[in-house]
Amino acid sequence: MTIVEKVRTICPFCGTGCGMELNVFQGKVVGVTPDWSSPVSEGALCVKGQFGTGFIHSPDRLTTPLVRQNGELQEASWEEATTLIAEAFGKIKERYGGAGFALWSSSRSTNESNFMLEKFAHAVLGTNNVDNCSRT
Amino acid sequence: MFGRGAMSNSQTELENAPLIFATGTNTTETHPVLALRVKKAVSKGAKLMVADPRKIGLTEFAHRWLPLKIGSDTVLYNTMAHVIIEEDLYDHEFVSERTEGLGELRKFLKTYTPEYGESHTGLPREEIVAAAREYAIAERAAVIYTLGVTEHVHGVYNVQALANLTMLTGNLGIPSAGLNPLRGQNNVQGAGDMGALPAFLPGYQRHGDDEARARFEKEWGVELDPKPGLTKVAAVEEMLEDRIKGLWVMGENTIVSEANTNKTREALGELDLMVVQDLFLTETAQVADVVLPAAAYAEVEGTYTNTDRRVQRLRKAVDAPGVARSDWEGILEVANRMGYAMSYSGPSEVWDEAARLAPIISGISYERIEKEGLQWPCPTPDHPGTSFLHEHTFVSGRGRFMMTPHVPAAEPPDDDYPFVLTTGRRRPTYHTGTMTRRDERLNELVPEEVLEINLEDAVDLRLEDGDEADVSSRRGTLRLPVKITDMSPAGIAFMSFSFPDKAMTNVLTTDEHDPQSHTAQFKATAVQIRRVAG
Amino acid sequence: MTQQGQRATINGREIDISEGETILEAAAMVGVAVPILCHDERVTPSATCRVCVVKVEGRRLPIAACAQKIEPGMTVVTEDDDLSTWRKGIIELTLSELGGGACLSCEMHGPCDLHALAAEVGAEPGALRGATSAGPKLDDSNPFILRDYDQCIFCYRCTRVCGEHEQAHAIGPAGRGFASIIATSFDGGLMDSPCTFCGQCIQTCPTGALLDRRMIELLKDEGAIR
């Protein structure tokens, strides 16, 4: 009987790509153990990978979409937020074409999300102006 | 040049390299676990050559430290190449079979004599010559570098000059050698692979490549523009000119990470609609019109591609808070609302589409990487993946020697701004601090931003450890405590940019950038430092 | 590198051996697992726990397989009744030196290396009684690493990983015999040492002597551990 459940995954910090197991207790990440089978890290982690999980359950996490109304960001539903985006982007596209957009993708997010943003830019907005933070 | 925006070799190979040339990389701080390989190589007898203006952690393990003047990198590499050619230490077989342009390079490098090298780098000529010889005669030598090489107005020339060295010495296409940019962020490699770069479709295929573009047009059912898109730097200018009106920012804190914060802020203020997906209400999200709550790495399924092109599986451990969603699911919903119907059963179907379209990853599936990741190129389902690139040929055929002139730094120090501020990382904090600043324990290790300066400068400025100082550049002023360190040489100050709530470091930095890569000169900003009276 | 004609015998089976390989490594190559406790393959063997003892023909005393290089013509036995008895005795001695208290590592993660091995060799906790080697608890206020000397078996995995792998050299043995403890150079806290808080000492620890302090606190708050 073990208290924590272990989920094998990859460290989210630097590009080394260390293997780690998130230690989960009652739906919360409480700690980290290394993934000894990782050919990259072979059981090693650094201070961020081993201990830097505090942000996951931070009370500051965004839990709902926010939409600016009268100058302030207000809570909104996904439907409200995405409808607003679709309408506003539709207008920009009409007036400026694809050249009116830029999309800045994330070196922190998954391949799948990066691919989706790339597809969205090209196929939906009609722009090739997609970049990521590799220059910072 | 010869290749791709990726490490030519793998980190696991480093520990068997007889010589490692680490330049512009503070590896023990930025890639602590990868640095274990470097330390291990040294324990096994490897020579470690470090070129860095600061006395970084790696210098403790180095047999030769080259503390060159900031911004003189190209001259160092060119001088080394000059010595290697003039002393006939280059790999004749490799150069004749795999490269072109040696004659032109030899002519170009004529002026990069050791004397010239010394006058620009501040390194004794004997040191440069010795470094060149060691690098050339090593059985195999691996170059590792990070942003210390690229974050200059001559960043591309730096990389090309290093590429010249690797080609001259035949250090490509073999294990434990090569030219290895250690990628900084967990998935910066993958973001590029997936086409999140203006010059490329997924898999480093050019928009102008008719065959490739046609494949995407067929799959996506739309016509694509054959011209490359705009980089961030160029897009910021377009915003200021009122030509870009809509911006989607997925999980990056642009206001904090880009050079010249005030300019970025002004540009973003011109937009009609700015969307930010993030875990937190970052400095960038605060100025958005719509903020979409994102799921964190522990809350999603997917893949990351690490610095050695290894695609690895990310697994969901806990639920995202509230109604936060994976980035891709948020994008999907907007696409559907805009009339482009898409549906996916899950991230593996998204991956499969990318793999279908990008030959370098076509052989990789979730099933194959369940136990262990695979390194691209991996074009077919039975391909074992690739540990090191360029084994028999370069993507571009022959590797071309590039002429890499010395370009002086933009905004050199002068009487008004006599110090050089260089920015970089500290191990316990990460990038703009969005994640690490929200970890109480990491905060105990590095509680706040400090201006690291040399003792000599501290004495001149009448500053003691912990004293407040005003640091100013042509763009702004910050007030923060100083930390006296022997890591920075006299005349050079150091800051990270992980504490935006206290010190927006990039208020100071210049957005002068490399004309080819559009990477800003984060490593050298002229500043003035003044003691705060009282 | 396998060399032509370099052969040895393990458990009656003739095998190819490589230059510089230990008995432990040679055995593993042919699927023979020798029990280990103080060993971490990334660092120099210390051969302190003696759990990996094997018999080598022509040698009077058992030999630690983790540290002994295998030689051509060597005949090795890794399993027999004597070895089982010795290993059981070694583990019972090791257990007898632990101070009181539960093994939190076992509670959180399932059996730690020590307790898993104890179960494997049939060692009974409390079979032997004697002095315990637990020293005073160092008051170390770092927020990351909790060191419980009651669970420390002085295998030196943490100090070797710290010194040879991370190369931080933050911790080492201090004092002698039963009074010895693992400590920083001047007995100060880890926050004032060269420790990088990579956590590799926790990761390699084969018992519950090194733990993530916050994880313990979180689980105690939830009543999951005492």
Side-chain angles (χ1 to χ4, degrees), chain C residues 74-159:
Chain C
M74 209 177 233
T75 299
V76 179
V77 174
T78 71
E79 291 292 340
D80 70 8
D81 288 349
D82 289 342
L83 290 166
S84 296
T85 308
W86 293 336
R87 286 181 188 142
K88 179 164 176 272
I90 286 164
I91 297 294
E92 284 178 344
L93 262 174
T94 304
L95 292 170
S96 80
E97 291 179 22
L98 299 183
C103 177
L104 291 181
S105 177
C106 287
E107 283 191 32
M108 293 189 297
H109 302 294
C112 68
D113 290 0
L114 172 64
H115 289 104
L117 196 55
E120 192 185 314
V121 302
E124 295 289 336
L128 300 170
R129 282 182 194 283
T132 59
S133 57
K137 285 205 167 64
L138 194 69
D139 177 26
D140 192 326
S141 58
N142 86 80
F144 301 100
I145 299 169
L146 189 74
R147 183 178 288 277
D148 180 357
Y149 288 107
D150 280 347
Q151 304 293 328
C152 177
I153 60 169
F154 300 92
C155 66
Y156 305 114
R157 271 168 73 159
C158 56
T159 60

Side-chain angles (χ1 to χ4, degrees), chain A residues 78-87, chain B residues 331-341:
Chain A
W78 273 98
E79 191 183 343
E80 288 163 342
T82 53
T83 304
L84 191 154
I85 297 169
E87 282 171 7
Chain B
I331 300 163
L332 191 80
E333 181 163 331
V334 175
N336 281 323
R337 282 195 197 281
M338 290 185 75
Y340 187 87

Side-chain angles (χ1 to χ4, degrees), chain B residues 84-399:
Chain B
I84 290 168
I85 294 174
E86 294 306 318
E87 295 193 359
D88 198 17
L89 298 172
Y90 64 93
D91 184 332
H92 286 251
E93 194 183 326
F94 188 92
V95 167
S96 70
E97 284 175 13
R98 306 272 312 259
T99 71
E100 58 190 9
L102 178 69
E104 205 187 334
L105 181 71
R106 183 195 295 267
K107 219 166 109 198
F108 168 76
L109 290 174
K110 274 283 179 225
T111 51
Y112 287 88
T113 60
E115 294 70 25
Y116 181 87
E118 176 176 304
S119 69
H120 278 77
T121 63
L123 300 167
R125 65 193 74 174
E126 303 76 30
E127 278 286 293
I128 305 176
V129 171
R133 288 176 184 159
E134 272 171 5
Y135 176 74
I137 64 174
E139 188 203 337
R140 276 162 294 132
V143 174
I144 58 174
Y145 70 91
T146 58
L147 303 176
V149 163
T150 55
E151 288 184 347
H152 291 284
V153 289
H154 51 267
V156 170
Y157 286 151
N158 279 346
V159 174
Q160 291 174 340
L162 286 169
N164 287 344
L165 283 172
T166 59
M167 288 195 291
L168 276 174
T169 53
N171 270 306
L172 289 163
I174 52 173
S176 303
L179 182 60
N180 301 290
L182 311 180
R183 310 306 306 266
Q185 309 223 26
N186 58 338
N187 201 35
V188 62
Q189 187 64 53
D193 300 349
M194 291 295 118
L197 288 171
F200 296 107
L201 288 160
Y204 302 99
Q205 302 172 89
R206 301 268 177 193
H207 293 94
D209 173 343
D210 293 341
E211 187 275 321
R213 196 176 65 256
R215 208 166 343 110
F216 283 88
E217 288 177 338
K218 190 169 168 230
E219 178 87 31
W220 292 347
V222 292
E223 212 171 290
L224 299 182
D225 185 346
K227 292 191 301 297
L230 298 176
T231 62
K232 259 162 93 173
V233 164
V236 163
E237 300 296 340
E238 290 293 288
M239 290 172 199
L240 291 169
E241 296 295 325
D242 239 9
R243 285 194 289 260
I244 284 182
K245 301 307 290 178
L247 173 67
W248 187 296
V249 181
M250 179 172 94
E252 73 158 62
N253 196 359
T254 313
I255 284 187
V256 181
S257 63
E258 289 299 295
N260 196 352
T261 310
N262 293 331
K263 183 174 174 182
T264 312
R265 211 184 264 286
E266 191 193 333
L268 299 182
E270 299 292 324
L271 294 163
D272 284 351
L273 190 82
M274 173 174 170
V275 180
V276 170
Q277 289 177 293
D278 213 301
L279 306 182
F280 299 101
L281 197 63
T282 62
E283 290 71 13
T284 305
Q286 283 167 27
V287 303
D289 301 296
V290 181
V291 181
L292 300 175
Y297 79 109
E299 298 151 1
V300 302
E301 298 281 331
T303 56
Y304 286 155
T305 305
N306 81 343
T307 190
D308 32 35
R309 299 168 272 103
R310 191 185 298 269
V311 182
Q312 306 195 95
R313 268 288 267 125
L314 188 71
R315 291 182 186 80
K316 179 178 170 168
V318 294
D319 289 333
V323 293
R325 289 184 194 167
S326 305
D327 294 320
W328 72 269
E329 291 173 301
I331 300 163
L332 191 80
E333 181 163 331
V334 175
N336 281 323
R337 282 195 197 281
M338 290 185 75
Y340 187 87
M342 287 196 272
S343 80
Y344 294 87
S345 59
S348 77
E349 202 184 336
V350 180
W351 172 266
D352 290 344
E353 182 175 322
R356 245 188 340 268
L357 292 164
I360 56 169
I361 54 166
S362 286
I364 301 175
S365 62
Y366 273 32
E367 203 179 5
R368 282 193 76 193
I369 57 170
E370 176 57 30
K371 280 208 179 79
E372 201 172 278
L374 277 167
Q375 292 173 277
W376 65 255
C378 180
T380 55
D382 55 358
H383 192 285
T386 307
S387 183
F388 58 92
L389 305 175
H390 320 303
E391 188 169 3
H392 304 295
T393 180
F394 295 119
V395 183
S396 52
R398 279 176 175 261

Side-chain angles (χ1 to χ4, degrees), chain A residues 2-72:
Chain A
T2 63
I3 293 175
V4 296
E5 179 203 344
K6 291 182 177 161
V7 179
R8 203 158 61 92
T9 191
I10 302 299
C11 179
F13 289 100
C14 81
T16 301
C18 296
M20 54 155 61
E21 297 170 335
L22 291 174
N23 293 186
V24 179
F25 177 73
Q26 292 182 346
K28 298 270 187 253
V29 176
V30 292
V32 171
T33 38
D35 175 4
W36 293 91
S37 71
S38 162
V40 171
S41 47
E42 296 176 339
L45 292 168
C46 79
V47 63
K48 293 189 293 292
Q50 174 68 48
F51 297 111
T53 54
F55 76 92
I56 299 171
H57 304 297
S58 160
D60 294 353
R61 281 289 299 274
L62 293 171
T63 57
T64 178
L66 304 172
V67 168
R68 193 170 295 280
Q69 283 171 330
N70 308 321
E72 298 287 317

